[in-house]
Amino acid sequence: MSNLESDPQETVCEARAGGPAHELLEGRDVVLGGTRGMKVTRTLPSRDRRMVGAWCFVDHYGPEPAAMRVAPHPHTGLQTVTWLLEGEVLHRDSLGSEQVITPGRLNLMTAGRAISHAEESPAEGVLHGVQLWVALPDGSRHTDPAFDHHPDLPVLTAPGVTTTVIIGELGGATSPARAYTPLVGAEVALEAGAAVTLPVRPDFEYAALVLAGAAEVDGEALEPGPLLYLGQGRTELAVAAGPASRVLLLGGEPFEEQLVMWWNFVGRTHEEIERFRKEWAEGGAFGTVEGFDGAPLPAPALPGTRLKPRPRHR
Ligand code: MN
């Protein structure tokens, strides 16, 4: 057996396994393609922590005037969760789905073994939202692709606080969105000065991202930008707003399978990713997105070195 990580001694820095943590993942700015581009802050995967539960990708963009125009591209082995606070995005995919998403509704795309999709904003205007990926466990990652739009999501209410359960379960409220591992994604909307104690599960690990305003999460002052990793072992999580705020809560059972994530693919081995890339270049397996005015995105070149399976944190 061999440790696949390049610097194994770093693992001793790991916080007490299974316990609460406060780890600020700063994220980095990434410009998505298109002539005007769109700036996103990517907090997962980060160098030290690649996943929170099955959540493996977190992009936050806006609020700013922007035109989203993401040409057809493939996905494997994941679900995409599209959640907006402002604006509209039109989704089209290789199953023939065509769906405009507006704030407070969920677009959930299950790539399974193969899907392709395109996303664009139908009108110029302010865009504000998150694009999240959920890794599918090995037993489900070859499932048929699917697309679901969920306009009605359960909410938990407290004075000045509305918590929408986007996917998974929180405090007894369960989203109708299909999840393949025990997890939660929820948006906590707080009026200025409002506070709430969320009921959370000790077996889940959690992280929080302020999307708007400014809030204290478990006593840590947060503004839009970093993702606060909170670890496991909690039964309650305190959130308190300064100004009116929106806080995204992500959590789930720690995802123990090692992933190879490259470009838009989630797989398990270098060879698998090579095959996905070849299948996208050749067409066929990923289907065709109708109605998008433009060419599909070509996959970038694979790196010169082999892609290695990575654990959820180092
Ligand atoms: Mn995509």
Side-chain angles (χ1 to χ4, degrees):
M1 296 297 286
S2 168
N3 187 339
L4 294 168
E5 288 300 319
S6 55
D7 194 354
Q9 71 187 10
E10 287 168 345
T11 57
V12 302
C13 301
E14 192 50 39
R16 185 163 54 87
H22 268 211
E23 212 178 283
L24 217 47
L25 308 176
E26 292 294 342
R28 59 205 164 91
D29 291 342
V30 178
V31 177
L32 299 184
T35 44
R36 272 159 296 186
M38 205 178 82
K39 195 196 82 175
V40 306
T41 303
R42 183 165 301 160
T43 46
L44 280 187
S46 71
R47 197 191 53 166
D48 294 329
R49 190 164 294 282
R50 297 186 178 85
M51 303 183 78
V52 176
W55 300 97
C56 61
F57 187 91
V58 176
D59 270 1
H60 177 207
Y61 52 87
E64 61 176 13
M68 180 185 286
R69 191 174 149 75
V70 183
H73 60 279
H75 286 292
T76 59
L78 57 84
Q79 292 177 293
T80 62
V81 169
T82 303
W83 183 255
L84 292 180
L85 286 80
E86 275 186 83
E88 288 185 9
V89 171
L90 169 63
H91 162 98
R92 290 190 180 98
D93 65 39
S94 52
L95 304 173
S97 317
E98 186 170 329
Q99 179 68 54
V100 171
I101 182 171
T102 53
R105 297 168 171 226
L106 165 65
N107 269 5
L108 178 67
M109 186 180 79
T110 302
R113 62 178 171 273
I115 200 168
S116 56
H117 74 145
E119 290 163 298
E120 53 191 318
S121 37
E124 291 275 335
V126 172
L127 272 182
H128 186 197
V130 286
Q131 170 76 41
L132 313 167
W133 295 358
V134 178
L136 295 174
D138 198 45
S140 303
R141 67 192 184 98
H142 304 292
T143 191
D144 290 343
F147 175 80
D148 298 288
H149 179 67
H150 293 283
D152 297 308
L153 297 167
V155 295
L156 303 169
T157 55
V161 183
T162 302
T163 301
T164 305
V165 183
I166 301 167
I167 186 168
E169 183 270 333
L170 184 73
T174 303
S175 165
R178 177 150 188 198
Y180 290 82
T181 53
L183 55 70
V184 66
E187 189 210 64
V188 189
L190 304 102
E191 295 174 5
V196 67
T197 301
L198 298 170
V200 297
R201 291 170 48 160
D203 58 325
F204 276 21
E205 56 181 349
Y206 290 92
L209 183 71
V210 170
L211 303 176
E216 284 194 2
V217 177
D218 197 36
E220 182 100 21
L222 286 180
E223 291 185 0
L227 180 71
L228 177 65
Y229 177 75
L230 291 156
Q232 288 176 265
R234 297 162 192 277
T235 55
E236 294 183 332
L237 182 66
V239 181
S245 299
R246 304 283 191 103
V247 179
L248 182 71
L249 178 71
L250 301 176
E253 271 184 6
F255 193 93
E256 301 294 356
E257 296 171 33
Q258 298 201 1
L259 303 180
V260 180
M261 281 179 65
W262 181 81
W263 193 43
N264 291 303
F265 303 129
V266 174
R268 295 297 184 274
T269 64
H270 178 89
E271 287 71 21
E272 197 176 50
I273 299 291
E274 270 186 325
R275 179 168 60 80
F276 294 153
R277 186 183 180 284
K278 187 161 175 280
E279 284 173 354
W280 174 242
E282 290 171 350
F286 289 94
T288 307
V289 180
E290 302 291 346
F292 183 85
D293 185 18
L297 288 178
L302 279 163
T305 54
R306 286 178 60 80
L307 301 167
K308 293 185 300 187
R310 306 260 186 196
R312 64 196 173 88
H313 61 74
R314 61 183 219 174

